[in-house]
Amino acid sequence: MISFEKQALTLFDYQYRNNDVYRSYCDLINVCLSDVHKLLDIPFLPIELFKSHRISCTEKTEMIFESSGTGGPVSQHHVASLDDYKQSFNSGFSEFYGTASDYHILALLPGYIERPNASLIYMCDDLIRQAKPKHSGFYLDQFEELQRVLIELNQEKQKTLLIGVSFALLDFCEAFPLQLQHTTVMETGGMKGRRKELIRKELHEKLQKGFGVDCIHSEYGMTELLSQAYSKGNGVFKPSSSMRVFVRDVHDPKKVSSTGSGGLNIIDLSNKESCAFIATQDLGKCYKNNTFEVLGRFDASDVRGCSLMTA
């Protein structure tokens, strides 16, 4: 089996040669092919560039995923192969939860469901199509119906996954508190300006109480990635096998390590025709066992090199 590092180095070589924006960024920070010999030599592209540039190794685009945005420019991810995305999120889901067909999958994703080009909606829709059909689906404002379905599935001891954006899960469980024994509740983050932002611990405590569950699961993904990470409690994420997470020094973005605190950098091997090496705007902490936490966000200040690319 080819090691993750060897796959990443091979992919870097391909993307450096074929992704004009990525190569230009590498040139700006004075990194060329001959400088990269190991995993942490690979440059990470500032994620902000997805808002201003077409980040791709090919002219082919099957779908453009867009971030939600807050009034300004939004990120656009030109996905050359939807099959690559499907393979990635299905493989990642099965690593942590088994096959989708074992579950009733219920999605509560207002703010996303209205946007057909949201990558999270595409993923959930595919998983729902594979799930048990009786009650699986998207629930927008049908709180009473969602309550009825969750109670029924719980009474029948059916394996259930409820995935939702944080503010909607809070709105629902405050209005319809439950005691669930056979449901996994998974939040995807984001108050989207709809409610006061809560620290993870406070959010999870409220959700645990509202749904009557022992722990809250979490999904970590983004428009610019094709892979996900999952947490089965306490906000500690484990990436899927196609993904690795590192930290960069907040003062020197070229200084990257596998443990410690700082900005989160991600290698996503599923991003074959886009860019597999992303410097996100998330702040976090990485541990020796390849797990990580998300602790917050950077301010809107540009990462060195990004401002040159967008000028």
Short mmCIF file of all heavy atoms in Angstrom, two decimals, residues 81-135:
data_model
loop_
_atom_site.label_atom_id
_atom_site.label_comp_id
_atom_site.label_asym_id
_atom_site.label_seq_id
_atom_site.Cartn_x
_atom_site.Cartn_y
_atom_site.Cartn_z
N SER A 81 -14.74 16.03 -10.93
CA SER A 81 -15.38 14.72 -10.91
C SER A 81 -16.23 14.57 -9.65
O SER A 81 -15.70 14.47 -8.55
CB SER A 81 -14.33 13.61 -10.96
OG SER A 81 -14.92 12.34 -10.72
N LEU A 82 -17.54 14.53 -9.82
CA LEU A 82 -18.42 14.29 -8.69
C LEU A 82 -18.26 12.87 -8.16
O LEU A 82 -18.49 12.61 -6.98
CB LEU A 82 -19.88 14.54 -9.09
CG LEU A 82 -20.28 16.01 -9.25
CD1 LEU A 82 -21.66 16.14 -9.85
CD2 LEU A 82 -20.20 16.75 -7.92
N ASP A 83 -17.83 11.95 -9.02
CA ASP A 83 -17.56 10.58 -8.56
C ASP A 83 -16.44 10.57 -7.52
O ASP A 83 -16.48 9.78 -6.57
CB ASP A 83 -17.20 9.67 -9.73
CG ASP A 83 -18.43 9.26 -10.54
OD1 ASP A 83 -19.55 9.38 -10.02
OD2 ASP A 83 -18.24 8.79 -11.69
N ASP A 84 -15.43 11.43 -7.71
CA ASP A 84 -14.35 11.52 -6.71
C ASP A 84 -14.91 11.98 -5.37
O ASP A 84 -14.52 11.48 -4.31
CB ASP A 84 -13.28 12.51 -7.18
CG ASP A 84 -12.37 11.94 -8.25
OD1 ASP A 84 -12.43 10.72 -8.49
OD2 ASP A 84 -11.62 12.72 -8.87
N TYR A 85 -15.84 12.96 -5.40
CA TYR A 85 -16.44 13.45 -4.16
C TYR A 85 -17.28 12.36 -3.51
O TYR A 85 -17.17 12.11 -2.30
CB TYR A 85 -17.28 14.69 -4.46
CG TYR A 85 -17.88 15.36 -3.24
CD1 TYR A 85 -17.16 15.43 -2.04
CD2 TYR A 85 -19.15 15.91 -3.28
CE1 TYR A 85 -17.70 16.04 -0.92
CE2 TYR A 85 -19.70 16.53 -2.17
CZ TYR A 85 -18.98 16.59 -0.99
OH TYR A 85 -19.52 17.19 0.12
N LYS A 86 -18.12 11.70 -4.30
CA LYS A 86 -18.95 10.62 -3.76
C LYS A 86 -18.10 9.52 -3.13
O LYS A 86 -18.39 9.04 -2.03
CB LYS A 86 -19.83 10.02 -4.86
CG LYS A 86 -20.96 10.92 -5.32
CD LYS A 86 -21.77 10.20 -6.40
CE LYS A 86 -22.88 11.07 -6.94
NZ LYS A 86 -23.65 10.36 -8.00
N GLN A 87 -17.07 9.11 -3.82
CA GLN A 87 -16.20 8.07 -3.30
C GLN A 87 -15.56 8.50 -2.00
O GLN A 87 -15.45 7.73 -1.05
CB GLN A 87 -15.13 7.70 -4.32
CG GLN A 87 -14.20 6.59 -3.87
CD GLN A 87 -13.15 6.23 -4.91
OE1 GLN A 87 -13.17 6.73 -6.04
NE2 GLN A 87 -12.22 5.38 -4.54
N SER A 88 -15.15 9.77 -1.93
CA SER A 88 -14.48 10.29 -0.75
C SER A 88 -15.41 10.34 0.45
O SER A 88 -15.09 9.80 1.52
CB SER A 88 -13.92 11.69 -1.03
OG SER A 88 -13.24 12.19 0.10
N PHE A 89 -16.60 10.97 0.32
CA PHE A 89 -17.44 11.10 1.51
C PHE A 89 -18.09 9.78 1.90
O PHE A 89 -18.33 9.54 3.08
CB PHE A 89 -18.46 12.24 1.38
CG PHE A 89 -19.55 12.11 0.36
CD1 PHE A 89 -20.54 11.14 0.47
CD2 PHE A 89 -19.63 13.01 -0.70
CE1 PHE A 89 -21.57 11.05 -0.46
CE2 PHE A 89 -20.66 12.93 -1.63
CZ PHE A 89 -21.62 11.95 -1.51
N ASN A 90 -18.36 8.91 0.95
CA ASN A 90 -18.89 7.60 1.30
C ASN A 90 -17.86 6.75 2.03
O ASN A 90 -18.17 6.07 3.01
CB ASN A 90 -19.42 6.87 0.06
CG ASN A 90 -20.81 7.30 -0.32
OD1 ASN A 90 -21.76 7.04 0.42
ND2 ASN A 90 -20.95 7.95 -1.46
N SER A 91 -16.63 6.80 1.55
CA SER A 91 -15.55 6.07 2.21
C SER A 91 -15.32 6.61 3.61
O SER A 91 -15.16 5.85 4.58
CB SER A 91 -14.27 6.17 1.38
OG SER A 91 -13.19 5.55 2.03
N GLY A 92 -15.30 7.94 3.75
CA GLY A 92 -15.10 8.55 5.05
C GLY A 92 -16.22 8.23 6.02
O GLY A 92 -15.98 7.90 7.18
N PHE A 93 -17.46 8.31 5.56
CA PHE A 93 -18.61 7.99 6.42
C PHE A 93 -18.53 6.54 6.90
O PHE A 93 -18.73 6.26 8.09
CB PHE A 93 -19.91 8.24 5.67
CG PHE A 93 -21.14 8.04 6.51
CD1 PHE A 93 -21.65 9.06 7.29
CD2 PHE A 93 -21.80 6.81 6.54
CE1 PHE A 93 -22.79 8.88 8.07
CE2 PHE A 93 -22.93 6.61 7.32
CZ PHE A 93 -23.43 7.65 8.09
N SER A 94 -18.21 5.63 5.99
CA SER A 94 -18.18 4.22 6.36
C SER A 94 -17.06 3.90 7.34
O SER A 94 -17.18 2.99 8.16
CB SER A 94 -18.06 3.34 5.11
OG SER A 94 -16.82 3.55 4.45
N GLU A 95 -15.97 4.66 7.27
CA GLU A 95 -14.86 4.46 8.22
C GLU A 95 -15.33 4.66 9.65
O GLU A 95 -14.89 3.96 10.57
CB GLU A 95 -13.73 5.45 7.93
CG GLU A 95 -12.83 5.09 6.77
CD GLU A 95 -11.72 6.12 6.62
OE1 GLU A 95 -11.07 6.44 7.65
OE2 GLU A 95 -11.52 6.61 5.50
N PHE A 96 -16.22 5.63 9.85
CA PHE A 96 -16.63 6.01 11.20
C PHE A 96 -17.98 5.43 11.61
O PHE A 96 -18.22 5.17 12.79
CB PHE A 96 -16.69 7.54 11.32
CG PHE A 96 -15.35 8.20 11.18
CD1 PHE A 96 -14.88 8.63 9.94
CD2 PHE A 96 -14.53 8.37 12.28
CE1 PHE A 96 -13.64 9.23 9.81
CE2 PHE A 96 -13.27 8.96 12.17
CZ PHE A 96 -12.83 9.39 10.93
N TYR A 97 -18.88 5.23 10.64
CA TYR A 97 -20.26 4.89 11.00
C TYR A 97 -20.80 3.65 10.29
O TYR A 97 -21.94 3.25 10.56
CB TYR A 97 -21.18 6.09 10.71
CG TYR A 97 -20.82 7.29 11.56
CD1 TYR A 97 -20.07 8.33 11.03
CD2 TYR A 97 -21.21 7.36 12.89
CE1 TYR A 97 -19.73 9.43 11.81
CE2 TYR A 97 -20.87 8.45 13.68
CZ TYR A 97 -20.12 9.48 13.13
OH TYR A 97 -19.77 10.54 13.91
N GLY A 98 -20.04 3.06 9.42
CA GLY A 98 -20.57 1.94 8.65
C GLY A 98 -21.35 2.43 7.44
O GLY A 98 -21.24 3.59 7.05
N THR A 99 -22.15 1.56 6.85
CA THR A 99 -22.85 1.94 5.62
C THR A 99 -24.09 2.76 5.93
O THR A 99 -24.80 2.54 6.91
CB THR A 99 -23.26 0.68 4.83
OG1 THR A 99 -24.11 -0.12 5.64
CG2 THR A 99 -22.03 -0.11 4.42
N ALA A 100 -24.37 3.71 5.04
CA ALA A 100 -25.53 4.58 5.21
C ALA A 100 -26.83 3.79 5.20
O ALA A 100 -27.82 4.21 5.82
CB ALA A 100 -25.54 5.65 4.12
N SER A 101 -26.85 2.66 4.52
CA SER A 101 -28.07 1.86 4.41
C SER A 101 -28.50 1.25 5.75
O SER A 101 -29.62 0.75 5.88
CB SER A 101 -27.88 0.74 3.38
OG SER A 101 -26.81 -0.11 3.74
N ASP A 102 -27.64 1.29 6.76
CA ASP A 102 -27.98 0.79 8.09
C ASP A 102 -28.82 1.80 8.89
O ASP A 102 -29.33 1.47 9.96
CB ASP A 102 -26.72 0.47 8.89
CG ASP A 102 -25.98 -0.74 8.36
OD1 ASP A 102 -26.63 -1.57 7.68
OD2 ASP A 102 -24.76 -0.86 8.61
N TYR A 103 -28.93 3.03 8.39
CA TYR A 103 -29.52 4.12 9.17
C TYR A 103 -30.79 4.67 8.53
O TYR A 103 -31.00 4.59 7.31
CB TYR A 103 -28.54 5.31 9.25
CG TYR A 103 -27.31 5.09 10.07
CD1 TYR A 103 -26.18 4.47 9.52
CD2 TYR A 103 -27.23 5.51 11.40
CE1 TYR A 103 -25.03 4.28 10.27
CE2 TYR A 103 -26.09 5.34 12.15
CZ TYR A 103 -24.99 4.71 11.58
OH TYR A 103 -23.85 4.52 12.32
N HIS A 104 -31.60 5.30 9.37
CA HIS A 104 -32.53 6.33 8.93
C HIS A 104 -31.74 7.64 9.09
O HIS A 104 -31.25 7.94 10.18
CB HIS A 104 -33.78 6.38 9.81
CG HIS A 104 -34.61 5.13 9.72
ND1 HIS A 104 -35.64 4.98 8.82
CD2 HIS A 104 -34.56 3.97 10.43
CE1 HIS A 104 -36.19 3.80 8.97
NE2 HIS A 104 -35.56 3.15 9.95
N ILE A 105 -31.60 8.41 8.01
CA ILE A 105 -30.81 9.64 8.06
C ILE A 105 -31.74 10.83 7.86
O ILE A 105 -32.42 10.96 6.84
CB ILE A 105 -29.70 9.64 7.00
CG1 ILE A 105 -28.73 8.46 7.25
CG2 ILE A 105 -28.94 10.96 7.01
CD1 ILE A 105 -27.59 8.36 6.25
N LEU A 106 -31.78 11.69 8.87
CA LEU A 106 -32.63 12.88 8.87
C LEU A 106 -31.73 14.11 8.88
O LEU A 106 -30.79 14.19 9.68
CB LEU A 106 -33.54 12.89 10.11
CG LEU A 106 -34.16 11.55 10.54
CD1 LEU A 106 -34.97 11.74 11.81
CD2 LEU A 106 -35.02 10.97 9.44
N ALA A 107 -31.98 15.06 8.00
CA ALA A 107 -31.13 16.24 7.88
C ALA A 107 -31.92 17.50 8.20
O ALA A 107 -33.02 17.71 7.67
CB ALA A 107 -30.54 16.33 6.47
N LEU A 108 -31.36 18.34 9.06
CA LEU A 108 -31.97 19.61 9.46
C LEU A 108 -30.96 20.72 9.12
O LEU A 108 -30.13 21.09 9.94
CB LEU A 108 -32.29 19.58 10.96
CG LEU A 108 -33.10 20.75 11.53
CD1 LEU A 108 -34.45 20.88 10.86
CD2 LEU A 108 -33.27 20.57 13.04
N LEU A 109 -31.04 21.22 7.88
CA LEU A 109 -29.98 22.08 7.36
C LEU A 109 -30.51 23.37 6.73
O LEU A 109 -30.17 23.69 5.58
CB LEU A 109 -29.13 21.30 6.34
CG LEU A 109 -28.41 20.06 6.88
CD1 LEU A 109 -27.89 19.21 5.74
CD2 LEU A 109 -27.27 20.48 7.81
N PRO A 110 -31.32 24.15 7.44
CA PRO A 110 -31.72 25.45 6.89
C PRO A 110 -30.49 26.33 6.69
O PRO A 110 -29.52 26.26 7.44
CB PRO A 110 -32.64 26.02 7.98
CG PRO A 110 -32.23 25.31 9.24
CD PRO A 110 -31.82 23.94 8.80
N GLY A 111 -30.54 27.14 5.65
CA GLY A 111 -29.36 27.94 5.30
C GLY A 111 -28.49 27.21 4.29
O GLY A 111 -27.72 27.84 3.58
N TYR A 112 -28.65 25.90 4.22
CA TYR A 112 -27.95 25.09 3.22
C TYR A 112 -28.94 24.55 2.19
O TYR A 112 -28.67 24.54 0.99
CB TYR A 112 -27.22 23.92 3.87
CG TYR A 112 -26.00 24.32 4.66
CD1 TYR A 112 -26.09 24.61 6.02
CD2 TYR A 112 -24.75 24.41 4.05
CE1 TYR A 112 -24.98 24.97 6.75
CE2 TYR A 112 -23.63 24.78 4.76
CZ TYR A 112 -23.75 25.05 6.12
OH TYR A 112 -22.64 25.42 6.84
N ILE A 113 -30.07 24.04 2.67
CA ILE A 113 -31.02 23.38 1.78
C ILE A 113 -31.51 24.32 0.69
O ILE A 113 -31.88 23.89 -0.41
CB ILE A 113 -32.21 22.81 2.60
CG1 ILE A 113 -33.05 21.85 1.75
CG2 ILE A 113 -33.07 23.94 3.16
CD1 ILE A 113 -32.35 20.60 1.35
N GLU A 114 -31.49 25.65 0.97
CA GLU A 114 -31.93 26.61 -0.04
C GLU A 114 -30.88 26.82 -1.12
O GLU A 114 -31.14 27.46 -2.13
CB GLU A 114 -32.23 27.97 0.63
CG GLU A 114 -33.36 27.92 1.66
CD GLU A 114 -32.85 27.67 3.07
OE1 GLU A 114 -31.77 27.09 3.22
OE2 GLU A 114 -33.57 28.04 4.02
N ARG A 115 -29.68 26.26 -0.92
CA ARG A 115 -28.59 26.45 -1.89
C ARG A 115 -28.23 25.09 -2.52
O ARG A 115 -27.52 24.30 -1.92
CB ARG A 115 -27.36 27.04 -1.19
CG ARG A 115 -27.61 28.43 -0.63
CD ARG A 115 -26.32 29.06 -0.12
NE ARG A 115 -25.73 28.31 0.98
CZ ARG A 115 -24.60 27.62 0.89
NH1 ARG A 115 -23.97 27.53 -0.26
NH2 ARG A 115 -24.12 26.98 1.95
N PRO A 116 -28.69 24.82 -3.73
CA PRO A 116 -28.44 23.52 -4.34
C PRO A 116 -26.97 23.25 -4.66
O PRO A 116 -26.59 22.11 -4.92
CB PRO A 116 -29.27 23.58 -5.63
CG PRO A 116 -29.43 25.04 -5.92
CD PRO A 116 -29.50 25.71 -4.58
N ASN A 117 -26.14 24.31 -4.63
CA ASN A 117 -24.72 24.11 -4.91
C ASN A 117 -23.87 24.06 -3.64
O ASN A 117 -22.67 24.31 -3.67
CB ASN A 117 -24.19 25.21 -5.84
CG ASN A 117 -24.43 26.61 -5.28
OD1 ASN A 117 -25.13 26.80 -4.29
ND2 ASN A 117 -23.82 27.61 -5.92
N ALA A 118 -24.50 23.72 -2.51
CA ALA A 118 -23.76 23.52 -1.26
C ALA A 118 -23.26 22.09 -1.21
O ALA A 118 -24.02 21.14 -1.37
CB ALA A 118 -24.67 23.81 -0.07
N SER A 119 -21.96 21.92 -0.96
CA SER A 119 -21.37 20.58 -0.96
C SER A 119 -21.94 19.71 0.16
O SER A 119 -22.09 18.49 0.00
CB SER A 119 -19.84 20.66 -0.83
OG SER A 119 -19.46 21.36 0.35
N LEU A 120 -22.31 20.32 1.30
CA LEU A 120 -22.90 19.56 2.41
C LEU A 120 -24.25 18.97 2.00
O LEU A 120 -24.57 17.82 2.34
CB LEU A 120 -23.06 20.46 3.63
CG LEU A 120 -23.71 19.83 4.87
CD1 LEU A 120 -22.87 18.67 5.39
CD2 LEU A 120 -23.91 20.88 5.97
N ILE A 121 -25.05 19.74 1.26
CA ILE A 121 -26.35 19.24 0.80
C ILE A 121 -26.15 18.09 -0.17
O ILE A 121 -26.86 17.08 -0.13
CB ILE A 121 -27.16 20.37 0.14
CG1 ILE A 121 -27.56 21.41 1.19
CG2 ILE A 121 -28.38 19.82 -0.58
CD1 ILE A 121 -28.47 20.87 2.28
N TYR A 122 -25.18 18.22 -1.06
CA TYR A 122 -24.92 17.15 -2.02
C TYR A 122 -24.54 15.86 -1.29
O TYR A 122 -25.03 14.77 -1.62
CB TYR A 122 -23.79 17.57 -2.97
CG TYR A 122 -23.60 16.61 -4.13
CD1 TYR A 122 -24.25 16.82 -5.35
CD2 TYR A 122 -22.79 15.48 -4.01
CE1 TYR A 122 -24.09 15.94 -6.41
CE2 TYR A 122 -22.64 14.59 -5.05
CZ TYR A 122 -23.28 14.83 -6.26
OH TYR A 122 -23.13 13.94 -7.30
N MET A 123 -23.68 15.98 -0.27
CA MET A 123 -23.26 14.80 0.49
C MET A 123 -24.44 14.18 1.23
O MET A 123 -24.67 12.97 1.15
CB MET A 123 -22.17 15.18 1.49
CG MET A 123 -21.70 14.01 2.35
SD MET A 123 -20.42 14.43 3.55
CE MET A 123 -21.41 15.24 4.81
N CYS A 124 -25.21 15.01 1.94
CA CYS A 124 -26.33 14.49 2.71
C CYS A 124 -27.39 13.87 1.81
O CYS A 124 -27.99 12.84 2.14
CB CYS A 124 -26.94 15.59 3.58
SG CYS A 124 -25.88 16.07 4.96
N ASP A 125 -27.64 14.49 0.66
CA ASP A 125 -28.63 13.95 -0.26
C ASP A 125 -28.22 12.56 -0.73
O ASP A 125 -29.05 11.64 -0.80
CB ASP A 125 -28.78 14.89 -1.46
CG ASP A 125 -29.83 14.41 -2.44
OD1 ASP A 125 -31.01 14.35 -2.07
OD2 ASP A 125 -29.47 14.06 -3.58
N ASP A 126 -26.95 12.37 -1.03
CA ASP A 126 -26.48 11.06 -1.48
C ASP A 126 -26.60 10.02 -0.36
O ASP A 126 -27.03 8.89 -0.59
CB ASP A 126 -25.03 11.16 -1.95
CG ASP A 126 -24.55 9.88 -2.62
OD1 ASP A 126 -24.85 9.68 -3.81
OD2 ASP A 126 -23.88 9.07 -1.95
N LEU A 127 -26.22 10.40 0.87
CA LEU A 127 -26.32 9.48 2.00
C LEU A 127 -27.79 9.13 2.29
O LEU A 127 -28.11 7.97 2.59
CB LEU A 127 -25.66 10.09 3.24
CG LEU A 127 -24.15 10.28 3.18
CD1 LEU A 127 -23.65 11.05 4.40
CD2 LEU A 127 -23.41 8.94 3.08
N ILE A 128 -28.67 10.12 2.19
CA ILE A 128 -30.10 9.89 2.42
C ILE A 128 -30.67 8.92 1.39
O ILE A 128 -31.49 8.05 1.71
CB ILE A 128 -30.87 11.23 2.41
CG1 ILE A 128 -30.60 12.00 3.71
CG2 ILE A 128 -32.37 11.00 2.23
CD1 ILE A 128 -31.09 13.43 3.69
N ARG A 129 -30.23 9.04 0.15
CA ARG A 129 -30.70 8.13 -0.91
C ARG A 129 -30.30 6.69 -0.62
O ARG A 129 -30.97 5.75 -1.05
CB ARG A 129 -30.17 8.58 -2.26
CG ARG A 129 -30.79 9.87 -2.78
CD ARG A 129 -30.10 10.35 -4.04
NE ARG A 129 -30.56 11.66 -4.43
CZ ARG A 129 -31.61 11.89 -5.22
NH1 ARG A 129 -32.31 10.87 -5.69
NH2 ARG A 129 -31.95 13.13 -5.54
N GLN A 130 -29.19 6.51 0.09
CA GLN A 130 -28.73 5.16 0.43
C GLN A 130 -29.38 4.64 1.71
O GLN A 130 -29.38 3.43 1.96
CB GLN A 130 -27.22 5.16 0.64
CG GLN A 130 -26.41 5.56 -0.58
CD GLN A 130 -24.94 5.67 -0.23
OE1 GLN A 130 -24.33 4.70 0.24
NE2 GLN A 130 -24.35 6.83 -0.42
N ALA A 131 -29.91 5.54 2.53
CA ALA A 131 -30.43 5.18 3.85
C ALA A 131 -31.79 4.48 3.74
O ALA A 131 -32.40 4.39 2.67
CB ALA A 131 -30.56 6.43 4.71
N LYS A 132 -32.27 3.97 4.88
CA LYS A 132 -33.59 3.36 4.92
C LYS A 132 -34.63 4.41 4.52
O LYS A 132 -34.62 5.53 5.05
CB LYS A 132 -33.86 2.81 6.31
CG LYS A 132 -32.93 1.65 6.68
CD LYS A 132 -33.21 1.12 8.08
CE LYS A 132 -32.27 -0.05 8.39
NZ LYS A 132 -32.50 -0.60 9.76
N PRO A 133 -35.53 4.06 3.59
CA PRO A 133 -36.33 5.10 2.93
C PRO A 133 -37.52 5.64 3.71
O PRO A 133 -38.01 6.73 3.40
CB PRO A 133 -36.82 4.38 1.66
CG PRO A 133 -36.86 2.93 2.03
CD PRO A 133 -35.71 2.73 2.99
N LYS A 134 -38.02 4.93 4.71
CA LYS A 134 -39.31 5.29 5.29
C LYS A 134 -39.35 6.72 5.82
O LYS A 134 -40.29 7.49 5.53
CB LYS A 134 -39.67 4.31 6.41
CG LYS A 134 -41.06 4.56 7.00
CD LYS A 134 -41.42 3.54 8.08
CE LYS A 134 -42.80 3.82 8.64
NZ LYS A 134 -43.16 2.87 9.73
N HIS A 135 -38.35 7.12 6.59
CA HIS A 135 -38.38 8.46 7.19
C HIS A 135 -37.17 9.33 6.81
O HIS A 135 -37.12 10.50 7.19
CB HIS A 135 -38.44 8.35 8.71
CG HIS A 135 -39.70 7.74 9.23
ND1 HIS A 135 -40.95 8.29 9.00
CD2 HIS A 135 -39.93 6.62 9.97
CE1 HIS A 135 -41.88 7.54 9.56
NE2 HIS A 135 -41.29 6.52 10.16
#
